[in-house]
């Protein structure tokens, strides 16, 4: 059973999740092959640093007065490890978010999420900031579709 995942880098940002300051992990090993992938370096599962529950807890302590959310860019392919990390995040009182290239994510992950982005990247449709996008960004607490928050009026 996997108990950790690997990430290429992490950062703190306000663009990935509306109204949240997110600690963002770029998880390595993405098994999808979206045409025009903007993050081909994320496909190699051996790349990056190990992120286990202790490491996440240490990062959350470091960013305690700043981060309001933990956002994983991928990682649904390591379900057990991801669920463990989401549980750690919630135990520390921060919101949780997953960016997935899939159209649906297993309920055993979804139950630990506050926000969820779904959908593969399709170059002709664009990302969340495109009015033609196939992707959606959901607030799972309210059920609201927040995709419009990424798009200019
Ligand atoms: S889900 Fe993201 S990282 Fe994975 S192949 Fe698609 S665009 Fe690339």
């Amino acid at each position: 059973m996997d108990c950790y995942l690997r990430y290429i880098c992490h950062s703190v940002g306000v663009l990935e999740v509306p109204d949240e300051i997110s600690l963002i992990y770029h998880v390595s090993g993405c098994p999808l092959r979206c045409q025009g992938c903007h993050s081909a370096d994320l496909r190699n599962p051996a790349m990056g640093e190990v992120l286990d529950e202790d490491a996440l807890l240490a990062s959350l302590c470091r960013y305690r007065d700043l981060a309001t959310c933990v956002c994983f860019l991928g990682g649904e392919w390591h379900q057990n490890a991801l669920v463990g990390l989401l549980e750690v995040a919630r135990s520390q009182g921060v919101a949780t978010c997953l960016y997935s290239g899939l159209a649906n994510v297993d309920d055993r992950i979804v139950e630990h999420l506050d926000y969820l982005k779904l959908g593969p990247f399709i170059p002709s449709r664009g990302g969340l900031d495109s009015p033609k996008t196939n992707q959606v960004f959901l607030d799972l607490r309210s059920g609201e579709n927040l995709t419009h928050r990424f798009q200019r009026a």
Side-chain angles (χ1 to χ4, degrees), residues 30-40 42-43 76-77 100-102 117 119-121:
C30 179
L32 304 181
R33 290 292 181 269
C34 299
Q35 185 185 7
C37 171
H38 46 73
S39 305
L42 292 180
R43 295 178 182 174
E76 64 272 30
W77 49 88
S100 173
L102 299 174
K117 172 261 165 186
F121 178 70

Side-chain angles (χ1 to χ4, degrees), residues 9-76:
C9 63
H10 74 280
S11 58
V12 175
V14 297
L15 298 179
E16 285 74 9
V17 184
D19 304 324
E20 304 278 5
I21 300 171
S22 296
L23 177 57
I24 302 155
Y25 286 95
H26 299 248
V27 181
S28 57
C30 179
L32 304 181
R33 290 292 181 269
C34 299
Q35 185 185 7
C37 171
H38 46 73
S39 305
D41 55 337
L42 292 180
R43 295 178 182 174
N44 184 345
M47 291 285 288
E49 299 292 320
V50 167
L51 181 65
D52 59 15
E53 295 176 19
D54 289 341
L56 178 60
L57 190 56
S59 286
L60 287 171
C61 290
R62 193 176 313 131
Y63 292 99
R64 183 178 301 284
D65 296 327
L66 179 62
T68 62
C69 180
V70 175
C71 178
F72 292 96
L73 305 184
E76 64 272 30

Side-chain angles (χ1 to χ4, degrees), residues 69-98:
C69 180
V70 175
C71 178
F72 292 96
L73 305 184
E76 64 272 30
W77 49 88
H78 292 301
Q79 180 171 303
N80 293 329
L82 182 60
V83 165
L85 294 170
L86 294 170
E87 287 176 337
V88 167
R90 280 196 161 166
S91 76
Q92 298 303 301
V94 297
T96 56
C97 178
L98 172 67

Side-chain angles (χ1 to χ4, degrees), residues 129-149:
D129 59 348
S130 166
K132 297 188 300 181
T133 191
N134 58 296
Q135 300 179 331
V136 293
F137 187 96
L138 304 171
D139 183 337
L140 298 175
R141 302 168 299 187
S142 65
E144 190 179 358
N145 185 334
L146 298 181
T147 310
H148 64 282
R149 297 283 302 273

